[in-house]
Amino acid sequence: MCWQCDHPDKTYDDYLDLCRVMIQEHGWMIQFVEGNRRRAPCAYTAGLTAHGLPELVVTGLCTHQAHDLLQGVAESAVGEEPWQSATVVVGAGKLIWEIVAVAVPDAHLSVANDLYGPGVTALQFVHMDARGHSPWHPGYRRGRYPQPVLGPRTTPLRCVELVTDPP
């Protein structure tokens, strides 16, 4: 259930104030958007913009998987090297993610846009199926949830190999 549904006496501005507190305490927060029969679940960060970084998005994963992925990726982006679009991430010898720039962030990241205004940018971590196929591959198996891709696919310019398991 959403925060506003759980707090009917509060306003959206009250929620944004809570978000500001979480971002101030932790550096960023993760916003979840529940899926339904017509829409896949989605999760994104809000707060990385203040670090001069793009926000991060993942679609089609359950809440705990999305949280673990975005938390790990945000920590590495703030603490080490920022992630970039047109990057493929490989681990254990197979493709794990492909990173695409979100074409219209204001259509998908309402909390981040309401906190930081126009100009928010975002990267989507497009996850592969169990066989390492991307959503663009004809053999891709989408699993429990569909995975909408929120930006155009570009030719990968960079490959990152993970030395540890992905978040």
Side-chain angles (χ1 to χ4, degrees):
M1 182 152 288
C2 72
W3 183 86
Q4 286 185 279
C5 298
D6 288 341
H7 301 88
D9 57 324
K10 303 287 185 182
T11 67
Y12 182 65
D13 286 335
D14 293 328
Y15 180 66
L16 291 178
D17 289 341
L18 176 64
C19 293
R20 288 182 188 96
V21 169
M22 287 191 293
I23 292 167
Q24 184 175 2
E25 289 178 4
H26 305 286
W28 62 85
M29 60 167 279
I30 299 173
Q31 176 68 46
F32 297 97
V33 180
E34 293 180 3
N36 58 32
R37 290 183 183 180
R38 295 185 188 154
R39 184 182 65 209
C42 174
Y44 61 89
T45 61
L48 295 178
T49 297
H51 296 275
L53 299 168
E55 301 297 343
L56 307 170
V57 181
V58 65
T59 61
L61 291 180
C62 68
T63 303
H64 75 274
Q65 290 173 317
H67 175 271
D68 291 351
L69 170 64
L70 293 177
Q71 187 67 24
V73 171
E75 286 172 2
S76 71
V78 170
E80 298 169 19
E81 183 178 343
W83 295 90
Q84 303 170 6
S85 65
T87 299
V88 294
V89 181
V90 177
K94 68 177 183 177
L95 185 63
I96 298 173
W97 304 303
E98 191 166 330
I99 304 172
V100 301
V102 176
V104 187
D106 57 340
H108 305 286
L109 287 77
S110 59
V111 170
N113 284 294
D114 291 342
L115 291 171
Y116 298 103
V120 169
T121 60
L123 298 175
Q124 180 181 5
F125 279 67
V126 178
H127 50 94
M128 304 304 125
D129 67 14
R131 297 179 304 158
H133 295 315
S134 74
W136 302 282
H137 188 279
Y140 176 74
R141 293 186 184 159
R142 68 183 211 178
R144 181 175 176 192
Y145 299 111
Q147 180 184 194
V149 178
L150 307 177
R153 184 181 195 201
T154 56
T155 302
L157 303 175
R158 181 177 127 163
C159 181
V160 174
E161 188 163 348
L162 296 179
V163 287
T164 60
D165 289 335

